Amino acid sequence: MMNALFLILLICVTIGCKKAELKSEVILKKNISNPPVLPEDKSIRIDSTLLISFNSKALSDFYKSTNYRTIWHSKDNRKIILAELLKSDEEGLNPADYKVKTLSDFEKKSAKLDDSDLSKYDILLTSSLQKYISHLTNGTLNPRKLYKNWDLKGNYIDINETLTDLLDSDSLADKIEQLKPNHIVYKRLKKALRLINTFPKDNFKALKIEQIISPNDTNPSIIDIKKRLTYWKELQYKDSLTSIYDEETVLAIEKFQNRHGLAVDAIIGPATIASLNFSKKQRTQQIIVNLERWKWYPKEMGKEYVIINIPDYRLTLVKDRDTLRTHRVIVGRAKRKTPILSSKLTQVVFNPTWTVPPTILREDVIPAILKSINYLSESNIKVYDSNGRIVSPYEWQLSNARSYRYVQSPGTFNSLGMVKIIFPNRFSVYLHDTNHRDYFDKIDRSLSSGCVRVDDPLELTEYLLDDAFNWNLEKITEILQNEKTKFIKIKKEVSFHLLYWTAWSENNKLIFRDDIYNLDANLYSKLRN
């Protein structure tokens, strides 16, 4: 009997031990799948007074949402952010703006920092990253505060929502990369910055010539010109330099002229000399300001869009990231700049009338009438008073000149040509044909009063109307011949962007254009002040 009781007791004890063993195993497995928080990842309470000196609502709001706890516990994430801030100059930004030296010093001592310094490090890292996110997505400066004729909406971004998204990401570096402008021109500008940084320091003196230099001329300035061409890798001279403008130098000058949007004629004149006189430092600054501008521009241009680069005098039509067609354009001269804006193409007008805008009326038309009363009839301009009554040239009075409405009738002599393409904007500018088509052969096409004149506009119009039956070139020509004004809606969705950039790269070559509105140097000084 005693043996039986002992046996039962032994079995009970064994079963109990097995259950305890099983329970212990389950707990252990849970601890493996959910490891305890390591000391490195320990969150620290932040004294909210440390945020005051930053004077940033976004920063205060963010730490309020974390219940005033540190967030950058991962050493890997800190290193990714520091590396990104250190190489921010690749985006045309200034690493010093993000306190990279102080952050690097904190990181070197991170294992030995007390709670107070860890809090300061965490806050500074967050503040710098917030600023970097803002600069990547909207630029360092606000163009709407710099220019009256720039009408671009800011690229909206919720900084703290973006920051939270970065924290939750498995790939922090990839997420930061996605914040950068993705347009091909921005990428070509970054490539241009890398290219120009490979050039050595230059110390050339300004070139001066008293007269143009033609092929086969002998001129003492040719030696210095050859040195410049050699520096910019347009020319490879193995022998001693001579003052003869030889065939090899002619080819080099033509390459240089082509890269700078000059007349490729091998004639060394003022425009070529002016471009040769740009230093590496000036060209680097030019690239940096263009990187800034591209951060202002829309992140999404649209599935199909027309984009015009004002200094390049070129219109490009893009669909699904493929260039479908390009057209030469004429843009506003420096005193009547073409505005920078984004819109949608909405309407085509065949045989448009032209109502003279106030600036042209004041500066061009009224002075012309005062010189000759025949100007109105010769220009086919009708004058209307406030009641809509036609005012004959002999009734026209200077005292009422600005209260009249001046309308040029349709026809081949009309200033807008045969077609006008409308996009809503507050500047009353549009795309149009011209009765001076010979102007498209000029190199400097900064000639208009603000609107954009387009070469071969009927081909562009046919494409935009996208109706091979009703709006082919033959049907369009018939409408134009009757000289009656006709309005046609553009049914397809085509975005429109009037932009400004003076530098980029193509096929490992630096490309520059004249800064026709003199914006580059002034913008750089504002960026670095």
Side-chain angles (χ1 to χ4, degrees), residues 29 177 216 227 246 322 326 336 343 357 413 454 496 529:
K29 284 183 178 177
E177 194 66 27
N216 299 317
K227 289 178 180 178
D246 53 37
D322 286 335
T326 62
R336 300 180 188 174
S343 186
F413 46 77
V454 183
F496 179 73
N529 281 346

Side-chain angles (χ1 to χ4, degrees), residues 315 325-329 348-350 416-421 431-435 437 440 452-465 473 476 480:
L315 177 154
R325 60 191 307 117
T326 62
H327 294 255
R328 294 177 296 179
V329 297
V348 169
V349 184
F350 293 121
L416 305 186
M418 309 299 287
V419 64
K420 175 170 76 170
I421 302 172
L431 303 177
H432 66 90
D433 185 17
T434 178
N435 56 350
R437 290 177 181 163
F440 289 108
V452 178
R453 307 174 194 175
V454 183
D455 195 20
D456 296 326
L458 298 185
E459 293 181 8
L460 176 62
T461 302
E462 181 188 32
Y463 175 85
L464 293 172
L465 292 178
L473 278 177
I476 290 172
L480 294 177

Side-chain angles (χ1 to χ4, degrees), residues 193-231:
L193 192 57
R194 291 196 297 272
L195 281 172
I196 203 163
N197 284 335
T198 65
F199 284 81
K201 187 176 180 180
D202 60 343
N203 56 355
F204 296 114
K205 293 181 180 178
L207 295 167
K208 294 180 181 178
I209 58 171
E210 294 181 0
Q211 58 187 19
I212 64 170
I213 305 173
S214 300
N216 299 317
D217 283 354
T218 299
N219 189 301
S221 296
I222 284 292
I223 292 176
D224 287 330
I225 289 170
K226 287 178 179 179
K227 289 178 180 178
R228 294 289 178 93
L229 294 170
T230 303
Y231 175 83

Side-chain angles (χ1 to χ4, degrees), residues 212-440:
I212 64 170
I213 305 173
S214 300
N216 299 317
D217 283 354
T218 299
N219 189 301
S221 296
I222 284 292
I223 292 176
D224 287 330
I225 289 170
K226 287 178 179 179
K227 289 178 180 178
R228 294 289 178 93
L229 294 170
T230 303
Y231 175 83
W232 290 114
K233 301 180 182 179
E234 234 78 76
L235 186 64
Q236 290 184 341
Y237 250 90
K238 297 178 182 177
D239 302 324
S240 58
L241 300 177
T242 68
S243 58
I244 301 172
Y245 187 15
D246 53 37
E247 185 177 350
E248 193 170 1
T249 310
V250 166
L251 293 174
I253 282 289
E254 288 177 341
K255 289 179 185 177
F256 182 87
Q257 289 173 332
N258 185 57
R259 281 198 308 109
H260 292 77
L262 304 170
V264 183
D265 55 10
I267 301 298
I268 302 175
T272 299
I273 290 296
S275 291
L276 282 167
N277 274 332
F278 270 77
S279 65
K280 173 189 173 180
K281 181 180 179 181
Q282 288 173 306
R283 289 304 191 194
T284 302
Q285 292 174 356
Q286 191 174 4
I287 294 168
I288 288 170
V289 299
N290 281 282
L291 281 165
E292 171 73 4
R293 287 191 190 111
W294 268 94
K295 296 181 184 78
W296 300 340
Y297 298 158
K299 292 293 181 287
E300 296 297 330
M301 295 284 177
K303 185 178 180 182
E304 186 169 11
Y305 62 90
V306 167
I307 186 170
I308 292 175
N309 181 13
I310 293 171
D312 194 31
Y313 310 119
R314 186 168 302 278
L315 177 154
T316 305
L317 193 146
V318 180
K319 184 176 181 179
D320 296 327
R321 299 193 176 185
D322 286 335
T323 297
L324 301 187
R325 60 191 307 117
T326 62
H327 294 255
R328 294 177 296 179
V329 297
I330 293 167
V331 301
R333 51 192 181 271
K335 288 185 178 179
R336 300 180 188 174
K337 298 178 179 66
T338 295
I340 310 303
L341 56 85
S342 285
S343 186
K344 301 276 186 187
L345 298 180
T346 57
Q347 198 173 46
V348 169
V349 184
F350 293 121
N351 294 314
T353 59
W354 179 51
T355 300
V356 180
T359 301
I360 296 177
L361 176 65
R362 182 178 66 253
E363 298 182 7
D364 300 332
V365 174
I366 291 176
I369 297 171
L370 291 172
K371 285 183 180 178
S372 172
I373 200 66
N374 294 325
Y375 170 81
L376 291 169
S377 57
E378 289 171 356
S379 303
N380 203 26
I381 293 176
K382 292 180 180 178
V383 182
Y384 298 86
D385 65 16
S386 57
N387 295 317
R389 186 182 68 85
I390 293 179
V391 179
S392 77
Y394 300 100
E395 294 178 300
W396 186 89
Q397 295 181 358
L398 179 60
S399 59
N400 296 325
R402 294 194 188 184
S403 65
Y404 297 142
R405 185 165 56 93
Y406 302 74
V407 181
Q408 190 176 47
S409 301
T412 54
F413 46 77
N414 187 282
S415 296
L416 305 186
M418 309 299 287
V419 64
K420 175 170 76 170
I421 302 172
I422 295 173
F423 47 92
N425 67 91
R426 65 182 176 88
F427 304 100
S428 300
V429 297
Y430 35 79
L431 303 177
H432 66 90
D433 185 17
T434 178
N435 56 350
H436 291 289
R437 290 177 181 163
D438 54 311
Y439 287 2
F440 289 108

